[in-house]
Amino acid sequence: MSDCIFCNIIAGKIPSTRVYEDESIYAFRDISPQAPIHILVITKEHVESAAKLNVGNSHLAAKCFEAIAIIAESEGLKDGFRVITNAGKAGGQTVPHLHFHILGGKTLGEGLV
Ligand code: 5GP
Ligand code: ZN
């Protein structure tokens, strides 16, 4: 989608700090980190949010989690990390392209799950 920020990041039209990439996934550092390590894992195919996953595209969510495990290892998050996805307005989603936040590098505590 030409007006989607994350599709433009995948296309290289908006610069980003790449952390991981394969045929279906791209991961990069969040521009406004909420933890010492804050990485966004996105699908190369435009899917609006977790609310738009279905039997035809849910393999992309599985691919995201395969990438998350690889990234956690390469970032040294051996003590743990948090994965969040916001879906829709009430969920706090600001970029309508499916993405998973990896947050780590400090003890995150028990707030908000
Ligand atoms: P959401 O609020 O939709 O769950 O998360 C969107 C995330 O994308 C936010 O954490 C925000 O900082 C990040 N973000 C928005 N625009 C850009 C950008 O152009 N580059 C990078 N690296 N991150 C972005
Ligand atoms: Zn997109």
Side-chain angles (χ1 to χ4, degrees):
M1 277 177 61
S2 59
D3 61 345
C4 170
I5 294 171
F6 286 176
C7 283
N8 280 304
I9 283 177
I10 292 162
K13 292 177 185 161
I14 296 174
S16 64
T17 305
R18 183 177 63 180
V19 172
Y20 174 86
E21 183 171 14
D22 64 29
E23 69 286 352
S24 51
I25 301 299
Y26 186 76
F28 56 104
R29 298 198 188 276
D30 197 291
I31 204 168
S32 178
Q34 307 292 308
I37 294 173
H38 186 171
I39 292 163
L40 299 172
V41 179
I42 68 177
T43 52
K44 286 189 172 174
E45 183 178 321
H46 182 90
V47 176
E48 193 176 303
S49 76
K52 294 291 165 74
L53 289 168
N54 55 49
V55 70
N57 64 13
S58 62
H59 63 284
L60 296 173
K63 286 282 183 189
C64 284
F65 277 88
E66 289 174 25
I68 286 166
I70 292 167
I71 293 163
E73 171 88 26
S74 65
E75 293 289 317
L77 295 172
K78 58 181 173 18
D79 290 336
F81 57 92
R82 185 168 294 167
V83 176
I84 292 175
T85 192
N86 295 325
K89 195 175 164 197
Q93 185 178 15
T94 59
V95 179
H97 179 130
L98 179 64
H99 54 281
F100 295 91
H101 298 257
I102 303 175
L103 297 156
K106 69 172 185 179
T107 300
L108 296 164
E110 294 184 5
L112 256 186
V113 308

